[in-house]
Amino acid sequence: MAVLMAASLVLFLVHILLSESERLPAPPKDAIYRNPAYSDEERTEDLLAYMTLAEKVGQMALIEKQSVDDMEDVASYGLGGILSGAGAKPTENTPAGWRDMVMSFDSASRASRLGIPVLYGVDANHGHGNVPGAVIFPHAIGLGASGDVDLIESIGVATSEALRATGVRWNFSPTLDLPKDIRWGRVYETFSDDPARTGPLASAYVRGLQGAGRTGVLATIKHYVGVGAMQWGSSKSDIYTLDQGTTPVSEAALRTQYLPPFEDVLAAGAQSVMVGLGSWGETKLSASSYLIRDVLKGELGFKGFVVSDWYGVYEIQGGDYAAATTAINAGVDMVMLPFEYRPFIRNVSWAVERGDIPQSRIDDAVRRILRAKFALGLFDETPVAGDLELVGSEGHRALAREAVAKSLVLLKDDADTLPLSADQFIRVAGSAADNTGRQAGGWTIEWQGVDGNVVPGATSILAGIREVASERSVIEFDAAGNFSNTEIADVGIVVVGETPYAEGWGDTAEPQLSAEDLATITRMQQRAERVVVVLVAGRPLILPASWRSWDALVVAWLPGSEGAGVADVLTGRKPFTGTLPLPWPRTTTQLPIDPVSGTANGTAPLFPRYFGLK
Ligand code: BGC
């Protein structure tokens, strides 16, 4: 009974709060916040002064687009952010369909009393990967292997162009996590396990993405902090083992290894930070006032806004009210709910009324969010910039192809098997040879990626080899390596690796090649003089003893849509320049590998970090 009474009181209060904002008149047309002649600071303070509590709390809500029950809610609740969770697409899943969808949320938000534009966010972590036809760049691990700051800045620019063409001005990327354990399903989203490499590369990406002035896309650095060092089996999820788990490292290790990339990229101007879904020791990251308020906003002087990760706030114990209150008091500014916004707005408004969240904390959160929106120019211009033709443009394809070539790492090359020479009889096989979905990996079209030759506009590695190899070469292909012709080819290229996955779905006790892939390699060894194995994988894989019989071994990571970039290097048009961005373990008993103290069992990895033949 008491619960029912409390609930009705809350509903009543919220009704009052919401109808209060509906009753209030719109601020004058010449209000300071509407005038670009004033500074972002002045405009923010002016707007804040017009806002009711409910309007402020609405700005703190980030909702998955499918969870918006009624388009009018965007204005009546003054929602701050909308996101497309990975794979959440418009009805017409084309670049134009994307732009129309984003613009419909944008227009809906501008219809509110205050006309505050919504911020639309996506995970464009290897290009605008949700959108069919967009160019898919190599996943971060491949870019980490390239170590090429200028290349990565250009990829940031290209990604920003594709996003802006569809009106998206917020990207939940780049990842600064540092992986210690290849059994984790998010290794490929990271640049390296080396903070000294991660900071500069991620900074370059942020510079490219955000651009100068008001023209860019807001970057998000994630996942704050200590993510990648989780202990095996510590995940709170029933399905995962490492992802969303506990980072057991000391504060000293957190500060010397995990914090520096954040410091670097904040200096490069990142304006939003996402807190991780895991825990540091006993504390959920989104509940850590120490890490968010004291360290990030205090010591590091971060002036942008902190966003929580998918449903992360509600993983804090104590029920929805307590969870939201704890996270906001800990310094979370925008909450990726990402579902029900009504109870959130109710609970947080109620918490302020009751004094459980200080008004000053709400003002601080909203100030940070509004400042970012002003800085992006969202109040003054449409979020769309540039032509839709930029999505999947030739320029982006050429850049991605260059990135692929620079990301390849050569681990073995006996008797100069590579590069291929001009008039060879070449056989190609393997599960990933003619499979653009596998090349692209997770976060492509769907959250878990797609399997098959189904990425629109993409070139498979096989197609790339056919395109690039000399006209005098003969190329024969069979995915399983079953060649009826008993003649022995000069070279056999076997492209094998992982099937796509994302997040904890990729956690696995044994990251290795399948029996089927190994059988294909063995078959090829009977049909070719020399065998080159090309790995398409999001992480180092534990190699079978038979790898020593392979003549050459190339790691292509998850190269994305431009398979011809792999062919460019195999054929010698471009040199091998990439190096391993993390150590390659010999066995899983070596895991985790700590950048300072080394492998878990004290033995040397198969290949050290930064190994790569030239
Ligand atoms: C991931 C984030 C991502 C978010 C939004 C979460 O599951 O952990 O990295 O940005 O979803 O899609």
Side-chain angles (χ1 to χ4, degrees):
M1 192 59 183
V3 176
L4 269 180
M5 279 174 64
S8 359
L9 179 62
V10 171
L11 279 172
F12 174 69
L13 266 169
V14 169
H15 177 73
I16 302 214
L17 287 167
L18 286 175
S19 45
E20 179 202 2
S21 28
E22 275 163 20
R23 274 200 316 270
L24 286 170
K29 289 258 170 312
D30 63 350
I32 289 176
Y33 84 87
R34 298 194 203 270
N35 186 344
Y38 288 91
S39 70
D40 292 349
E41 293 294 331
E42 290 166 312
R43 296 175 79 184
T44 301
E45 292 309 318
D46 184 60
L47 175 52
L48 206 56
Y50 285 110
M51 294 174 83
T52 64
L53 175 60
E55 284 167 333
K56 288 177 182 171
V57 180
Q59 282 300 303
M60 297 169 69
L62 174 57
I63 319 298
E64 211 292 319
K65 65 131 186 140
Q66 331 259 56
S67 294
V68 177
D69 301 331
D70 179 344
M71 250 346 209
E72 289 196 2
D73 285 357
V74 177
S76 53
Y77 288 90
L79 301 178
I82 305 285
L83 80 143
S84 270
K89 34 182 113 42
T91 323
E92 183 205 321
N93 196 12
T94 61
W98 272 82
R99 189 191 51 199
D100 293 347
M101 171 183 73
V102 175
M103 285 310 290
S104 67
F105 284 104
D106 181 74
S107 323
S109 66
R110 290 175 200 267
S112 71
R113 178 178 85 93
L114 301 168
I116 305 177
V118 79
L119 192 52
Y120 201 101
V122 302
D123 292 271
N125 50 21
H126 59 157
H128 203 350
N130 281 304
V131 181
V135 169
I136 310 295
F137 291 90
H139 265 300
I141 196 74
L143 303 182
S146 82
D148 190 327
V149 169
D150 295 336
L151 171 80
I152 294 169
E153 183 163 343
S154 304
I155 292 175
V157 173
T159 304
S160 160
E161 286 172 353
L163 288 167
R164 284 182 297 149
T166 56
V168 176
R169 299 297 292 277
W170 191 16
N171 187 0
F172 307 127
S173 187
T175 296
L176 309 188
D177 303 343
L178 304 172
K180 275 186 168 185
D181 195 326
I182 61 160
R183 293 172 294 187
W184 185 34
R186 305 194 77 164
V187 170
Y188 67 79
E189 293 182 57
T190 71
F191 289 106
S192 169
D193 72 330
D194 183 358
R197 175 158 284 204
T198 300
L201 298 190
S203 300
Y205 181 83
V206 167
R207 278 196 302 275
L209 193 73
Q210 295 197 159
R214 296 181 180 281
T215 55
V217 167
L218 180 69
T220 305
I221 51 178
K222 65 186 190 184
H223 303 86
Y224 185 77
V225 61
V227 179
M230 298 81 62
Q231 204 163 16
W232 179 254
S234 69
S235 179
K236 301 285 179 291
S237 146
D238 298 337
I239 309 155
Y240 306 168
T241 38
L242 271 166
D243 198 36
Q244 306 184 12
T246 300
T247 293
V249 304
S250 66
E251 177 160 354
L254 201 71
R255 283 180 177 275
T256 52
Q257 293 177 29
Y258 286 85
L259 215 48
F262 282 89
E263 293 179 76
D264 284 353
V265 190
L266 290 180
Q271 286 305 313
S272 98
V273 173
M274 188 186 292
V275 278
L277 288 170
S279 312
W280 178 42
E282 292 305 303
T283 315
K284 276 269 168 206
L285 293 167
S286 54
S288 176
S289 176
Y290 176 65
L291 290 175
I292 304 173
R293 292 184 74 168
D294 299 354
V295 178
L296 178 65
K297 293 180 174 176
E299 282 178 45
L300 305 187
F302 176 56
K303 294 281 180 290
F305 70 92
V306 172
V307 59
S308 56
D309 198 352
W310 187 272
Y311 203 70
V313 158
Y314 291 131
E315 287 169 6
I316 299 170
Q317 295 299 304
D320 290 1
Y321 178 93
T325 304
T326 304
I328 292 169
N329 282 332
V332 169
D333 301 310
M334 193 185 261
V335 180
M336 195 190 294
L337 290 161
F339 312 114
E340 303 193 355
Y341 40 94
R342 294 189 188 94
F344 169 78
I345 296 176
R346 242 176 0 240
N347 280 336
V348 176
S349 303
W350 180 227
V352 178
E353 297 291 329
R354 289 182 54 185
D356 287 341
I357 301 176
Q359 179 67 52
S360 57
R361 177 72 271 276
I362 301 289
D363 288 345
D364 173 55
V366 178
R367 189 175 277 123
R368 288 165 180 270
I369 295 164
L370 294 178
R371 216 163 32 208
K373 290 186 176 184
F374 279 115
L376 277 172
L378 287 182
F379 282 85
D380 311 317
E381 281 166 41
T382 154
V384 173
D387 213 302
L388 278 175
E389 305 288 300
L390 281 164
V391 181
S393 72
E394 282 313 309
H396 292 181
R397 286 204 190 281
L399 178 65
R401 181 169 171 171
E402 179 191 343
V404 173
K406 288 182 166 168
S407 69
L408 299 192
V409 181
L410 182 62
L411 293 181
K412 184 175 199 255
D413 185 24
D414 288 350
D416 291 335
T417 302
L418 289 173
L420 306 172
S421 43
D423 45 9
Q424 285 173 316
F425 171 18
I426 300 167
R427 281 198 167 118
V428 181
S431 54
D434 197 25
N435 190 324
T436 52
R438 291 200 186 181
Q439 269 170 230
W443 302 95
T444 310
I445 302 177
E446 300 292 344
W447 179 40
Q448 294 298 318
V450 288
D451 197 6
N453 237 341
V454 288
V455 180
T459 303
S460 73
I461 294 174
L462 171 69
I465 293 172
R466 288 207 157 115
E467 179 189 323
V468 168
S470 138
E471 280 174 13
R472 285 179 284 140
S473 308
V474 174
I475 298 168
E476 209 175 272
F477 170 69
D478 183 79
N482 288 317
F483 299 100
S484 48
N485 168 357
T486 52
E487 198 186 330
I488 303 293
D490 296 313
V491 186
I493 301 171
V494 192
V495 189
V496 285
E498 296 189 298
T499 49
Y501 54 81
E503 300 192 41
W505 292 97
D507 288 357
T508 172
E510 294 292 335
Q512 60 190 9
L513 287 172
S514 67
E516 188 195 349
D517 280 349
L518 293 175
T520 308
I521 298 173
T522 308
R523 275 193 290 275
M524 184 64 101
Q525 286 179 314
Q526 289 151 11
R527 284 286 186 276
E529 203 79 48
R530 306 267 189 84
V531 169
V532 178
V533 174
V534 178
L535 294 181
V536 169
R539 51 185 150 198
L541 300 176
I542 303 297
L543 298 177
S546 58
W547 81 273
R548 297 201 181 271
S549 70
W550 308 341
D551 299 285
L553 174 58
V554 176
V555 190
W557 311 107
L558 297 172
S561 56
E562 305 314 306
V566 176
D568 285 336
V569 182
L570 295 180
T571 55
R573 286 174 147 212
K574 299 232 174 105
F576 279 100
T577 52
T579 61
L580 293 177
L582 75 175
W584 192 290
R586 207 177 277 277
T587 59
T588 49
T589 50
Q590 294 185 316
L591 300 171
I593 304 181
D594 184 88
V596 180
S597 55
T599 61
N601 66 9
T603 56
L606 187 57
F607 299 104
R609 185 208 280 152
Y610 299 135
F611 179 85
L613 300 171
K614 298 283 175 318

